[in-house]
Amino acid sequence: MSQNHYNNLIKAHTLAKKKFGSTFPNPVVGCIIVKKNRIISTGVTGNQGRPHAEEIALKKAGDKAKGATMYVTLEPCFHKSINGSCTEQILRSGIKAIYIARHDPDIRTNKKSINKLKKNELEVHVGETAHITNHLNNFFFKSLKNKRPFVKVKMAISEDEKIAWSNYKSKWISNSKSRNYGHKIRFNSQAILTTSKTIIKDNPRFTVRKNNKIIKHLTTIIIDNSLKIPLGSKLLKDINKKRVIIFTSKKNNKSKFLKKIGCEVFFVNKQVNNQLNLKTIFKKIYDLKINDILVEAGGIFLSNLLKNDLVDEIHLFKAPVIIGSSGKPFLIGKKLKNIKYKEVLTKNFDHDIYQYLKI
């Protein structure tokens, strides 16, 4: 592949990266159309995943697309839609060559588009810069493979790996710069998963804020075995601005009221240990077309997730404070060193240390 073709794929990736976090549940895809060494059109996946990048770029290009070359960061779709699949639209447009970063493992497409484009005598190149697509849309590929959401955990801990004092009076352990970065992680997530215990202790709103202003309301999923969530919670006051999903074993007047005010309530039978089956819950979350979640909860819940092999990434903010043996632990019965992980990134926010870990 020439440097020119490589550079055009990188430009398509750059477009995609700028919109990451707004196309869930779909992957974010970038597309550019080039003719006579000049970019004549660009496209990026629309909000909530539609329209697709190729469709946008082709519509902008119009008749100019005939004889042009397309560069796209993921295999065009083979699905049926109002205007036909992206593959059909590409064939109708007269595009003569296409460079595709990587194939789409979605069973609806999975190399079907690549094969059809080749059979229709387009010049097709696949695989260059695939690693960039893999990194950016890792949530999509892993959720598709595991049939459950991609799970990130965000947590602030002390130097001795505690998340709070014994009386839970510590609202924040990390500093303001760490918390600002934490909001960026929230922004790039489809939903937040928490527990009723966290809501009772912290009464969070789980909004995304920038300069103390709310810029995004995230779907919030609550694991609430005995339906203890207070009806006066800040979270429920925002019910008209976000999707709130509750998993519980309790079917009573409170559950009826929560449904009435707009919550989605799903009932799950308790296991022998009196807990809800997390794998069953995660399968249901995936069926609800939520394939990327950020967990913000306590050490007991994190330990249960790890025990059930339900964690893909951990984002840790370690502050230079010692809480002591009476504090609430980050993990139950073990330390960070006991977990198998790959450290992807470490950086400092003043005296806080941020670690991005892949499990």
Side-chain angles (χ1 to χ4, degrees):
M1 177 183 286
S2 71
Q3 188 64 42
N4 190 42
H5 292 309
Y6 178 84
N7 290 342
N8 285 331
L9 273 172
I10 293 300
K11 289 174 185 176
H13 284 297
T14 301
L15 286 173
K17 187 176 181 181
K18 288 179 180 178
K19 200 161 184 187
F20 182 78
S22 65
T23 66
F24 296 119
N26 286 4
V28 61
V29 177
C31 176
I32 68 171
I33 299 176
V34 176
K35 194 170 186 178
K36 295 179 181 180
N37 295 318
R38 185 175 67 87
I39 296 175
I40 61 171
S41 182
T42 64
V44 187
T45 310
N47 292 338
Q48 284 80 54
R50 291 285 181 171
H52 289 176
E54 305 94 315
E55 185 172 8
I56 294 169
L58 287 169
K59 186 175 181 180
K60 287 181 182 177
D63 293 338
K64 292 179 182 178
K66 189 173 182 178
T69 299
M70 176 180 282
Y71 300 84
V72 63
T73 60
L74 187 65
E75 179 182 6
C77 78
F78 202 76
H79 326 333
K80 291 181 179 179
S81 65
I82 296 173
N83 298 316
S85 67
C86 286
T87 300
E88 291 170 340
Q89 292 180 56
I90 290 167
L91 291 173
R92 290 200 304 264
S93 72
I95 289 284
K96 70 172 184 179
I98 183 168
Y99 288 77
I100 302 168
R102 70 151 289 170
H103 78 281
D104 184 350
D106 188 325
I107 193 171
R108 295 172 297 174
T109 296
N110 200 6
K111 300 182 181 177
K112 294 175 186 175
S113 295
I114 291 169
N115 292 334
K116 185 168 184 175
L117 293 170
K118 286 180 177 178
K119 285 179 181 178
N120 282 270
E121 300 182 351
L122 265 76
E123 182 185 334
V124 180
H125 303 266
V126 183
E128 191 70 35
T129 70
H131 64 288
I132 303 177
T133 298
N134 288 340
H135 177 72
L136 188 62
N137 289 304
N138 191 32
F139 80 93
F140 177 75
F141 300 126
K142 288 205 73 171
S143 65
L144 201 61
K145 178 182 177 181
N146 296 327
K147 296 295 181 284
R148 66 160 175 81
F150 184 78
V151 178
K152 302 167 288 188
V153 175
K154 179 173 74 70
M155 194 170 283
I157 66 174
S158 63
E159 197 170 308
D160 56 344
E161 299 190 7
K162 307 294 181 182
I163 59 171
W165 276 262
S166 58
N167 58 8
Y168 287 100
K169 292 298 183 181
S170 50
K171 184 177 182 181
W172 288 316
I173 292 177
S174 57
N175 63 34
S176 59
K177 289 183 179 180
S178 292
R179 294 196 298 275
N180 287 339
Y181 193 79
H183 277 275
K184 290 182 180 180
I185 298 172
R186 274 189 188 177
F187 184 86
N188 289 330
S189 303
Q190 185 182 6
I192 285 180
L193 177 70
T194 191
T195 64
S196 56
K197 184 176 180 180
T198 296
I199 294 172
I200 291 167
K201 296 295 182 184
D202 299 338
N203 197 18
R205 295 178 69 182
F206 288 130
T207 53
V208 182
R209 298 183 297 278
K210 187 175 182 180
N211 298 325
N212 292 321
K213 291 184 179 179
I214 297 173
I215 59 172
K216 189 176 182 180
H217 290 271
L218 288 175
T219 293
T220 304
I221 305 164
I222 306 163
I223 309 296
D224 191 356
N225 192 337
S226 300
L227 213 56
K228 293 180 179 179
I229 179 173
L231 296 179
S233 301
K234 292 177 181 178
L235 192 66
L236 296 180
K237 291 180 180 178
D238 290 333
I239 190 69
N240 62 326
K241 298 176 182 177
K242 68 168 71 177
R243 187 180 183 187
V244 176
I245 302 167
I246 300 173
F247 288 93
T248 185
S249 63
K250 292 288 184 180
K251 189 178 289 189
N252 52 25
N253 288 334
K254 190 174 184 179
S255 64
K256 291 178 182 177
F257 177 79
L258 288 167
K259 280 186 175 183
K260 187 176 180 180
I261 64 173
C263 297
E264 297 171 48
V265 182
F266 295 95
F267 300 102
V268 182
N269 292 328
K270 289 183 181 181
Q271 300 180 101
V272 177
N273 62 2
N274 211 35
Q275 300 299 310
L276 303 185
N277 188 310
L278 291 177
K279 290 185 177 180
T280 299
I281 289 172
F282 277 53
K283 175 63 170 62
K284 180 61 180 178
I285 293 171
Y286 182 77
D287 290 342
L288 293 171
K289 298 190 182 304
I290 297 172
N291 55 5
D292 178 277
I293 57 178
L294 177 64
V295 175
E296 298 197 31
I300 295 174
F301 190 65
L302 172 55
S303 298
N304 286 336
L305 289 177
L306 288 167
K307 183 180 178 181
N308 283 277
D309 195 24
L310 292 172
V311 179
D312 297 293
E313 295 179 354
I314 298 179
H315 298 263
L316 274 184
F317 297 87
K318 186 177 285 187
V321 297
I322 300 294
I323 291 180
S325 59
S326 63
K328 300 299 179 180
F330 155 61
L331 288 169
I332 305 303
K334 62 174 66 176
K335 295 283 187 179
L336 178 60
K337 65 182 180 181
N338 302 127
I339 302 174
K340 290 183 179 180
Y341 64 83
K342 177 184 176 182
E343 190 167 74
V344 179
L345 175 68
T346 299
K347 63 193 299 183
N348 290 79
F349 293 108
D350 289 338
H351 298 299
D352 287 359
I353 299 173
Y354 164 68
Q355 291 176 286
Y356 169 23
L357 312 174
K358 283 192 175 182
I359 306 301

